[in-house]
Amino acid sequence: MGKRLGKQTIMFSNSAKIIGNYSIVGEKEGNGTFREYYDYVLKNDTFGEKTYESAERKLIEHSIANALDNAGVKSKDLDLLICGDLLNQIISSSFAARDFDLTFLGLYGACSTMAEALAVGATFIDGGYFNTIACATGSHFSTVERQYRFPLELGNQRPPVSQWTVTGAGCTVLSDKGSKKEIVNATFGKVTDFGINDVNNMGAAMAPAAMSTLITHFEDTHTTPDDYDLIVTGDLGKLGSEILLDLMEHKGYKLKDNYNDCGQMIYSNDQKVYQGGSGCGCSAVVLNSYIMQKIDEGVYKRVLFAATGALLSTLSSQQGNTIPGICHAVEIRKGD
Amino acid sequence: MGKRLGKQTIMFSNSAKIIGNYSIVGEKEGNGTFREYYDYVLKNDTFGEKTYESAERKLIEHSIANALDNAGVKSKDLDLLICGDLLNQIISSSFAARDFDLTFLGLYGACSTMAEALAVGATFIDGGYFNTIACATGSHFSTVERQYRFPLELGNQRPPVSQWTVTGAGCTVLSDKGSKKEIVNATFGKVTDFGINDVNNMGAAMAPAAMSTLITHFEDTHTTPDDYDLIVTGDLGKLGSEILLDLMEHKGYKLKDNYNDCGQMIYSNDQKVYQGGSGCGCSAVVLNSYIMQKIDEGVYKRVLFAATGALLSTLSSQQGNTIPGICHAVEIRKGD
């Protein structure tokens, strides 16, 4: 059984094995950087549903069903589904869970949800409480845009610091056995707030949380950034990633070429999305496509996946509150 | 270390000890059934804040700070805060967590949150991953009413099947040692939907989830309802509780005088709240006042606390969806 290092990190001894994963994305994402890595690219972003919210629920359902297929696990043999999303009252996750008749743990960590779910799931596996757990999340450009910002019909201009919410969902299946790809530790994050109140500048709001969790992780595990083949944040975007690099350098940590950000990577330069991608789906689909494949290929042996979330609501911002952020991290390794 | 019984229940061997708890409620609740059991009753439901949302955040903060005081734990010595609430993007919980500088796990389980947090927290304590964990949640009549239903200024009539959202917050502090009052097992729930779509009739929507989790719990632990001094659901209200009793009887389980519901109990009969109380705060304050005190006094030696949640959003209902429910349960025992 694992043990805690420092205040926030758990080093596992019965590491959760990653036995299956799946990614599904919208057309825009399918035309982005990782086009050949996704399992499924939608032709139509309603996915055959009447509402965008139903489409988001279906994206999550589809990712869970197919990740289980990839893992060779029948849904009746799955012990637990850990899931969350950005919509009010995480309806996409709850409604997806309903259709599987599964034991369900609902989380809310905004865009940190993929890492939060993996951290909780890996802890439950390490302790032997559950044998097989699916961790999933997703987002949809049109649901998030109209919930958090403006009606889609308004077609409003986007500020240059903005990011584009990823349409997509990803699912990772964890088990107590069956793979050499495993989650070896998890660092649970603190809520961090540097006083940013620009709801279009999520990267700046979340970068301090990423700094807090990364530094805590390095200290707790006695590692340095150089020990990792890839350190990847969730959806800081280009500006947020630059802010993180600055913050880390001020604290004496120089992140180099082995650092990147899912939001920064996911779209190609000609896609006009300003700072890049965001949303729960952003880090979920990049992790469960490109990153997992590169781990399988042996390109990355040691990956620190640190997804960040901005903990605001439309109401909290309307009432003049700043935007707290959180970042949870898991280390994924591939044994020989 | 604990082990799983059946598919959904974990029987702990290093049971989480309940070393502190606290309840704070609004004036209406302070005039209800458990008036002499609450730690603090507000005189003004804004709690000195400018918005009801800030008041809700402050209720949760206040309950955490004072539960820690009661437990004799300094906030810097607390390992983890597990918290969630009903507001969009659980802002009350995230904003409360920010002010404590604590490692934070955000949950969403609607009104099942108190039980969900205790189930996850007790599992983390059993595994030795964290030594001291605070589990908290709360709700506020005015925030919930205006988010889910109508503007407060409208003063609309309430249908006879409706419940009244509790203004209040509760916090339970768990530890690996220090008390004879402990959480001995937890049953994680499934999302259950019997097709109810009346957003005023939450009790009917949640009763099937309560049935599912209670029966699973009895089967997994080889117990019967008679083994418990108190079986208490979260906020089914009067009608929902009657539906649960019917559903259970159809399945061969006769719940008797040892069954009750926090929503049914919390207000006195002259308070004109129709079916009773609801909201995350409902089961949180009843557990952390009356129930905990009766356990301390030895009146209840074995309590099954099964909080239920209705997993809807305003949008999911507007789009014609039914209302899924979930119920998580923990068994609390007091040793001699």
Side-chain angles (χ1 to χ4, degrees):
Chain A
M1 201 173 56
K3 63 171 184 171
R4 190 152 44 91
L5 303 176
K7 283 284 280 184
Q8 298 174 237
T9 303
I10 298 169
M11 185 65 70
F12 301 120
S13 58
N14 306 314
S15 294
K17 315 297 187 269
I18 296 170
I19 60 167
N21 61 277
Y22 192 84
S23 61
I24 175 172
V25 295
E27 194 180 4
K28 189 182 185 92
E29 292 70 26
N31 290 327
T33 316
F34 303 121
R35 60 183 75 82
E36 68 264 42
Y37 293 94
Y38 299 122
D39 292 299
Y40 193 98
V41 178
L42 294 182
K43 291 190 183 68
N44 183 319
D45 69 353
T46 60
F47 206 179
E49 297 290 308
K50 282 184 186 167
T51 67
Y52 293 121
E53 288 73 20
S54 285
E56 182 176 312
R57 188 253 313 140
K58 195 172 170 182
L59 283 171
I60 294 178
E61 271 179 20
H62 182 97
S63 75
I64 297 167
N66 285 283
L68 290 176
D69 260 7
N70 285 350
V73 173
K74 292 200 171 73
S75 77
K76 71 173 176 59
D77 297 323
L78 189 70
D79 294 326
L80 182 68
L81 171 63
I82 305 179
C83 197
D85 59 83
L86 283 171
L87 293 194
N88 298 342
Q89 290 73 54
I90 63 164
I91 47 170
S92 305
S93 302
S94 306
F95 281 71
R98 177 181 61 184
D99 294 345
F100 285 103
D101 186 35
L102 284 173
T103 313
F104 174 65
L105 188 65
L107 297 181
Y108 186 79
C111 304
S112 74
T113 302
M114 193 71 230
E116 186 182 7
L118 291 172
V120 173
T123 306
F124 281 178
I125 296 270
D126 180 77
Y129 300 110
F130 296 98
N131 302 113
T132 317
I133 299 175
C135 302
T137 187
S139 54
H140 193 297
F141 173 80
S142 299
T143 65
V144 167
E145 196 67 11
R146 70 186 185 181
Q147 177 181 281
Y148 282 94
R149 296 186 188 94
F150 296 101
L152 298 163
E153 297 80 356
L154 198 59
N156 69 303
Q157 280 193 305
R158 305 171 65 79
V161 291
S162 70
Q163 294 170 243
W164 189 273
T165 303
V166 166
T167 297
C171 178
T172 310
V173 184
L174 305 179
S175 174
D176 56 343
K177 56 180 180 297
S179 169
K180 288 184 171 172
K181 193 166 49 173
E182 54 189 10
I183 297 178
V184 294
N185 59 53
T187 302
F188 290 87
K190 283 185 177 181
V191 178
T192 309
D193 193 335
F194 273 27
I196 303 290
N197 59 7
D198 178 355
V199 296
N200 286 301
N201 194 350
M202 292 293 138
M206 297 188 291
M211 176 193 70
S212 163
T213 297
L214 288 179
I215 291 179
T216 300
H217 176 87
F218 296 137
E219 288 177 354
D220 287 349
T221 59
H222 303 291
T223 57
T224 70
D226 293 343
D227 291 327
Y228 298 88
D229 299 310
L230 177 69
I231 297 165
V232 62
T233 46
D235 58 344
L236 296 180
K238 288 169 196 161
L239 179 59
S241 298
E242 282 171 30
I243 294 170
L244 175 63
L245 292 177
D246 279 353
L247 290 171
M248 293 295 285
E249 197 167 343
H250 278 278
K251 296 283 186 181
Y253 287 89
K254 232 178 148 55
L255 298 178
K256 298 177 198 154
D257 290 349
N258 62 345
Y259 167 73
N260 218 322
D261 175 79
C262 298
Q264 181 169 246
M265 289 189 282
I266 191 168
Y267 295 113
S268 57
N269 284 333
D270 58 352
Q271 288 190 296
K272 296 182 184 165
V273 291
Y274 294 114
Q275 302 306 324
S278 66
C280 289
C282 180
S283 61
V285 302
V286 175
L287 175 70
N288 287 296
S289 62
Y290 173 77
I291 296 174
M292 287 292 188
Q293 193 165 321
K294 290 296 164 193
I295 295 172
D296 286 335
E297 290 169 4
V299 176
Y300 300 138
K301 285 191 183 307
R302 226 178 145 176
V303 172
L304 184 57
F305 174 72
T308 47
L311 302 171
L312 81 164
S313 78
T314 51
L315 191 64
S316 71
S317 293
Q318 284 159 6
Q319 291 183 349
N321 290 292
T322 54
I323 306 170
I326 196 161
C327 174
H328 301 288
V330 292
E331 182 184 338
I332 304 170
R333 273 197 227 183
K334 172 89 180 285
D336 294 319
Chain B
M1 202 173 56
K3 64 171 184 171
R4 190 151 45 91
L5 302 176
K7 284 283 279 186
Q8 297 173 241
T9 302
I10 297 168
M11 185 64 72
F12 302 121
S13 59
N14 307 315
S15 293
K17 314 298 186 273
I18 297 171
I19 59 166
N21 61 275
Y22 192 85
S23 61
I24 175 171
V25 295
E27 194 180 3
K28 190 183 185 92
E29 292 71 26
N31 290 325
T33 316
F34 303 121
R35 58 182 77 82
E36 67 265 42
Y37 293 94
Y38 299 122
D39 292 298
Y40 194 100
V41 178
L42 294 182
K43 291 188 184 68
N44 183 320
D45 70 351
T46 59
F47 207 179
E49 296 290 307
K50 283 186 186 165
T51 67
Y52 293 120
E53 288 72 21
S54 284
E56 182 176 313
R57 188 252 314 137
K58 195 171 168 183
L59 284 172
I60 294 178
E61 272 179 21
H62 183 96
S63 76
I64 297 166
N66 285 281
L68 290 176
D69 259 8
N70 285 350
V73 172
K74 291 200 172 73
S75 76
K76 71 175 178 54
D77 297 324
L78 188 71
D79 293 327
L80 182 68
L81 171 64
I82 306 180
C83 197
D85 59 84
L86 284 169
L87 294 194
N88 297 343
Q89 288 75 53
I90 63 164
I91 47 168
S92 305
S93 303
S94 306
F95 282 70
R98 177 182 60 183
D99 293 345
F100 286 103
D101 186 36
L102 286 173
T103 312
F104 175 66
L105 188 65
L107 298 181
Y108 186 79
C111 304
S112 74
T113 302
M114 193 71 230
E116 186 182 9
L118 290 172
V120 174
T123 307
F124 281 178
I125 296 269
D126 180 75
Y129 300 111
F130 297 98
N131 302 110
T132 316
I133 298 176
C135 302
T137 187
S139 53
H140 193 296
F141 173 79
S142 299
T143 64
V144 166
E145 197 66 12
R146 71 185 185 182
Q147 177 181 281
Y148 282 95
R149 298 186 185 94
F150 296 101
L152 298 164
E153 296 80 357
L154 199 58
N156 69 303
Q157 281 192 305
R158 304 170 67 79
V161 291
S162 70
Q163 295 169 242
W164 190 273
T165 303
V166 166
T167 297
C171 177
T172 310
V173 184
L174 305 178
S175 175
D176 55 344
K177 57 181 178 297
S179 169
K180 286 184 171 170
K181 194 168 48 174
E182 54 189 12
I183 297 177
V184 294
N185 59 55
T187 301
F188 289 87
K190 283 184 178 182
V191 178
T192 309
D193 192 335
F194 273 26
I196 304 289
N197 59 8
D198 178 355
V199 296
N200 286 302
N201 195 350
M202 291 293 138
M206 297 188 290
M211 177 193 69
S212 163
T213 297
L214 289 179
I215 291 179
T216 300
H217 177 87
F218 297 137
E219 289 178 354
D220 288 350
T221 59
H222 303 291
T223 56
T224 71
D226 293 341
D227 292 326
Y228 298 88
D229 300 308
L230 177 68
I231 297 165
V232 61
T233 46
D235 59 343
L236 296 179
K238 289 168 195 161
L239 179 59
S241 298
E242 282 171 29
I243 295 171
L244 174 63
L245 292 176
D246 280 354
L247 290 171
M248 293 295 286
E249 196 167 344
H250 278 277
K251 296 284 185 181
Y253 288 89
K254 230 176 150 55
L255 297 180
K256 297 177 198 155
D257 291 348
N258 63 345
Y259 167 73
N260 218 322
D261 176 78
C262 298
Q264 181 169 246
M265 289 191 281
I266 191 167
Y267 296 112
S268 57
N269 284 331
D270 57 352
Q271 288 192 296
K272 295 181 182 165
V273 292
Y274 294 114
Q275 303 305 325
S278 66
C280 290
C282 180
S283 61
V285 302
V286 175
L287 175 69
N288 287 296
S289 61
Y290 173 77
I291 296 174
M292 287 293 187
Q293 193 166 323
K294 290 297 165 193
I295 296 173
D296 286 335
E297 291 170 4
V299 176
Y300 301 139
K301 286 193 184 303
R302 225 176 145 177
V303 172
L304 184 57
F305 174 72
T308 47
L311 303 171
L312 80 164
S313 77
T314 52
L315 191 64
S316 71
S317 293
Q318 284 159 4
Q319 291 182 351
N321 290 292
T322 55
I323 305 170
I326 195 159
C327 174
H328 302 288
V330 291
E331 182 186 338
I332 303 171
R333 272 198 228 182
K334 171 90 180 284
D336 294 319

